[in-house]
Amino acid sequence: MTIPMPAVTEHGGAPAPKAPETVGRSPGRLMWLRFRRDRTGMASAGIVLFFFLVAALAPAISSVYGKDPYTLYGQDAPGLLNEYGYPVLPNGGISSEFWFGIEPALGRDVFMQLVYGIRTSLLIAAAATVLIVVIGIVLGIVAGYAGGRTDYTIGRVIDITLSFPATLFIIAFMPVVENLFVSPDEETPVWLRAVTLVIMLSAFQWAGLARLLRGQVLSLREREFVEAARVTGASPARIVFKELLPNLWTPILVQATLLLPALVTAETALSFLGVGMIEPIPDWGRMFLRGTQVYQSDITYLIFPGAALVIFVIAFNLLGDSVRDAFDPKIKR
């Protein structure tokens, strides 16, 4: 019976133990390695990237597809809609010419409405997310680092903001904005409605991020590395940008990935309620509204925006969870 001998190196010694995979890795590289092992996170990232690519390439898709979201194809071409305004072909008029069918009554292409609706919702939600993150970072860090009356004042503003019924306030405020900037005989500009939506959504969503960062800064400002920076004569600005902010990117990134799908849903809901984007700009919310009006005769028109919104929100929420776990593997789902 032969006894297996341990492997030796060319110098006659035992082989050196294999270095751990994490040795010599930067924190960003370690986060990426953990995230790459998460199959759910990678799949969610692929879906989210697909939605962003569709939104960015909407004009190119329209050019290749040969249609746009504004033309009334059902009214221009006979035989597409019946006398009641519903598609003649089954399943909402789905065909090789109209991949997702046509809209009842107006006869617009559903596929292009969906593609450009993604573009509209993501642009507004992304702009609001950036504004919320900037406001939350500034006020959260200032409140946590300054303390005293500054912290008390910002804290009360955060409490008041969180207590507002945001949806009801936006519904009531949007007509006021239109009356202030647009005369009754003029049509509301699209840019005004979009800017107002971004400002309104940001005004009621920044407080949560600011409160979270305030708590983080209150804890970090007592740590040894911050005290050491103070002792060496570092200015408050240097302490904030060199010591505090690098330790806050994890909660900021996680909150941003969870915030964007919530804002997409909020923008869709506001358009559904009639205070979001206006015609003829394609929007998921108005597609939902139109779908609820015709679902008894054409359920297909409601399926496509509903499925797209559900897939996007679930994928983005799963992506946020995966990003959080990759940054802090100690957190258990």
Side-chain angles (χ1 to χ4, degrees), residues 87 89-102 110 300-301 304:
L89 296 177
N91 300 319
I94 295 177
S95 64
S96 59
E97 185 179 3
F98 300 97
W99 293 355
F100 288 2
I102 56 178
V110 176
T300 308
Y301 185 77
F304 290 113

Side-chain angles (χ1 to χ4, degrees), residues 83-275:
E83 63 271 21
Y84 302 105
Y86 294 104
V88 174
L89 296 177
N91 300 319
I94 295 177
S95 64
S96 59
E97 185 179 3
F98 300 97
W99 293 355
F100 288 2
I102 56 178
E103 178 185 6
L106 296 179
R108 294 179 293 194
D109 185 84
V110 176
F111 175 69
M112 291 313 305
Q113 277 196 301
L114 192 66
V115 169
Y116 274 84
I118 296 172
R119 185 184 181 92
T120 301
S121 297
L122 282 181
L123 282 174
I124 293 176
T129 300
V130 172
L131 188 57
I132 289 168
V133 169
V134 171
I135 297 174
I137 290 175
V138 172
L139 294 183
I141 292 179
V142 169
Y145 185 75
R149 292 184 178 180
T150 302
D151 183 23
Y152 178 83
T153 302
I154 296 178
R156 299 297 73 75
V157 173
I158 291 175
D159 293 337
I160 294 173
T161 303
L162 292 175
S163 67
F164 267 95
T167 303
L168 293 177
F169 189 87
I170 295 175
I171 292 174
F173 191 76
M174 290 295 290
V176 176
V177 174
E178 293 185 7
N179 292 332
L180 288 175
F181 295 97
V182 182
S183 61
D185 57 339
E186 294 181 355
E187 186 177 353
T188 303
V190 173
W191 68 265
L192 178 61
R193 184 63 71 95
V195 170
T196 306
L197 277 175
V198 171
I199 293 175
M200 288 291 99
L201 290 172
S202 304
F204 293 101
Q205 297 291 336
W206 65 268
L209 178 60
R211 171 175 282 183
L212 174 65
L213 296 182
R214 171 188 173 272
Q216 295 282 336
V217 173
L218 286 174
S219 174
L220 290 173
R221 72 177 186 178
E222 305 300 332
R223 299 284 293 273
E224 293 80 1
F225 61 91
V226 176
E227 291 294 337
R230 286 200 193 98
V231 170
T232 58
S235 64
R238 180 176 178 81
I239 293 175
V240 168
F241 286 102
K242 295 295 184 179
E243 306 296 342
L244 295 179
L245 197 55
N247 290 281
L248 297 174
W249 284 121
T250 297
I252 291 172
L253 182 58
V254 171
Q255 290 300 310
T257 56
L258 297 176
L259 187 62
L260 194 144
L263 291 174
V264 169
T265 305
E267 187 277 332
T268 301
L270 291 173
S271 296
F272 178 84
L273 295 172
V275 294

Side-chain angles (χ1 to χ4, degrees), residues 46-71:
I47 296 173
V48 169
L49 180 61
F50 170 77
F51 274 92
F52 273 95
L53 287 176
V54 169
L57 300 176
I61 295 174
S62 176
S63 178
V64 173
Y65 182 57
K67 295 179 177 61
D68 60 71
Y70 309 106
T71 303

Side-chain angles (χ1 to χ4, degrees), residues 278-311:
I278 56 179
E279 290 283 4
I281 302 301
D283 189 272
W284 282 357
R286 284 205 322 279
M287 293 185 71
F288 275 111
L289 178 61
R290 184 61 178 157
T292 59
Q293 297 170 348
V294 301
Y295 74 93
Q296 291 182 335
S297 301
D298 184 12
I299 188 64
T300 308
Y301 185 77
L302 186 61
I303 291 176
F304 290 113
L309 183 61
V310 169
I311 293 172

